[in-house]
Amino acid sequence: MKWLVLLGLVAFSECIVKIPLRRVKTMRKTLSGKNMLNNFLKEDPYRLSQISFRGSNLTIHPLRNIRDIFYVGNITIGTPPQEFQVIFDTGSSDLWVPSIDCNSTSCATHVRFRHLQSSTFRPTNKTFRIIYGSGRMNGVIAYDTVRIGDLVSTDQPFGLSVEEYGFAHKRFDGILGLNYWNLSWSKAMPIFDKLKNEGAISEPVFAFYLSKDKREGSVVMFGGVDHRYYKGELKWVPLIQAVDWSVHVDRITMNREVIACSEGCAALVDTGSSNIQGPGRLIDNIQRIIGATPRGSKYYVSCSAVNILPSIIFTINGVNYPVPPRAYILKDSRGHCYTTFKEKRVRRSTESWVLGEVFLRLYFSVFDRGNDRIGLARAV
């Protein structure tokens, strides 16, 4: 799984809707630069009102940095609207938020949906559960009005968790899945499919720009692409199958030596994951090559290694996508440096990887449902 706002950029047309994401990162990394967004945040850092500009659909929310892990954005559910912070996740297909009837510790630390306060709420008796890599939830399906900025989906099916495990210390309320419908645990129509089918967006695409350190402006955009978020041309990669956002990777190299994916492999492009994940034995080999040593649940290296280690290159559809050490090595709250490679726990007969935020901070990504492909380009 697993997520600031760019002020002053306007959409190319009224059909492009940009939804600001809040980057969850270290508190010590604060906004820099002299611009309107910083001034706004200094004046009212926790206000959740929307800002719009004449002639555009751009919706802006203030940025709040917590930990360098997730990107989250605001949506509302119900009438009158109740606001939630969710992860916009290409690795899952369900939308859910906590229910007021959930008494789990995880729910108690998050905003919970008060269904009795919504005049457009419609309950069902259908139950479901979802298992994630870092937690799980049990819930019920309901229907209500969901808003993502200026996009409105009436009578939208979504999940209400009645039990949650593993999310108590996570700084998000729920998850908004953007993967294909067939992967939905609840079997409810995902919000993107519903918006697409109803013609609420002009093109069946959405795109992510995930900002780098010391830059504000992460966004997810629906219905089109703003070319000012990337350099050069988008390189289109066909999906392996039109069932999820997985693409074929030719090989993974370092110093011109193949270190993984020697016979080709699959990789899920996942905005809901913080790391680059792969098979345990291959991840262990990468950790050994870069000199990382285990400590607890992470692998650590000398911070000076950022200046001397080589890039790890993912070759996708014949195009090289380097991930330099400054991207795959991060610093924790104590000032120690750790790697962002992690074992992929789901076992498959074929080699598979997950390209999470470590990769997506470097490369602007376009998810094209109309042509079942992903576009990648160097992020600005």
Side-chain angles (χ1 to χ4, degrees), residues 147-194:
R147 296 173 175 84
I148 308 174
D150 294 328
L151 291 173
V152 181
S153 179
T154 58
D155 207 36
Q156 170 67 43
F158 70 104
L160 285 171
S161 67
V162 294
E163 291 180 310
E164 291 182 21
Y165 305 94
F167 302 122
H169 302 293
K170 307 297 185 183
R171 299 299 184 94
F172 59 85
D173 302 312
I175 293 173
L176 189 151
L178 290 169
N179 212 334
Y180 280 68
W181 189 354
N182 58 284
L183 294 180
S184 170
W185 290 69
S186 67
K187 305 305 178 185
M189 180 179 288
I191 188 169
F192 183 78
D193 289 76
K194 191 166 182 292

Side-chain angles (χ1 to χ4, degrees), residues 102-338:
C102 178
N103 295 316
S104 299
T105 302
S106 292
C107 291
T109 60
H110 298 130
V111 178
R112 291 177 285 179
F113 183 71
R114 299 174 181 272
H115 59 276
L116 295 179
Q117 296 182 5
S118 175
S119 62
T120 48
F121 177 78
R122 183 163 66 89
T124 76
N125 293 322
K126 183 179 179 181
T127 62
F128 72 105
R129 71 171 186 161
I130 306 177
I131 300 174
Y132 297 98
S134 58
R136 58 188 174 92
M137 63 81 72
N138 299 325
V140 296
I141 297 296
Y143 291 79
D144 212 327
T145 299
V146 178
R147 296 173 175 84
I148 308 174
D150 294 328
L151 291 173
V152 181
S153 179
T154 58
D155 207 36
Q156 170 67 43
F158 70 104
L160 285 171
S161 67
V162 294
E163 291 180 310
E164 291 182 21
Y165 305 94
F167 302 122
H169 302 293
K170 307 297 185 183
R171 299 299 184 94
F172 59 85
D173 302 312
I175 293 173
L176 189 151
L178 290 169
N179 212 334
Y180 280 68
W181 189 354
N182 58 284
L183 294 180
S184 170
W185 290 69
S186 67
K187 305 305 178 185
M189 180 179 288
I191 188 169
F192 183 78
D193 289 76
K194 191 166 182 292
L195 292 169
K196 173 175 66 71
N197 295 344
E198 293 176 350
I201 50 179
S202 58
E203 298 291 338
V205 303
F206 56 90
F208 280 87
Y209 172 79
L210 302 183
S211 70
K212 307 174 185 65
D213 289 342
K214 300 182 180 179
R215 294 191 185 189
E216 72 265 0
S218 290
V219 295
V220 54
M221 53 190 77
F222 291 91
V225 177
D226 189 329
H227 304 283
R228 286 170 286 188
Y229 284 92
Y230 64 87
K231 304 173 184 177
E233 296 183 359
L234 285 167
K235 302 296 183 181
W236 292 103
V237 186
L239 301 181
I240 294 175
Q241 288 183 296
V243 295
D244 70 4
W245 296 112
S246 291
V247 297
H248 178 80
V249 178
D250 304 330
R251 58 192 169 275
I252 303 173
T253 59
M254 179 186 287
N255 285 332
R256 300 182 180 180
E257 296 288 335
V258 176
I259 59 172
C261 195
S262 58
E263 298 180 357
C265 58
L268 176 67
V269 183
D270 186 3
T271 60
S273 174
S274 302
N275 308 296
I276 292 176
Q277 300 178 33
R281 61 182 178 82
L282 298 176
I283 291 294
D284 288 344
N285 186 49
I286 291 175
Q287 306 284 26
R288 180 186 59 78
I289 291 173
I290 62 180
T293 55
R295 193 185 314 157
S297 61
K298 295 179 180 179
Y299 278 75
Y300 284 83
V301 295
S302 169
C303 290
S304 61
V306 173
N307 301 316
I308 58 176
L309 286 173
S311 294
I312 293 178
I313 299 174
F314 292 81
T315 302
I316 304 173
N317 205 30
V319 178
N320 290 336
Y321 295 92
V323 178
R326 61 176 173 78
Y328 65 75
I329 295 176
L330 298 179
K331 189 174 291 187
D332 65 18
S333 59
R334 299 172 298 170
H336 300 153
C337 290
Y338 64 94

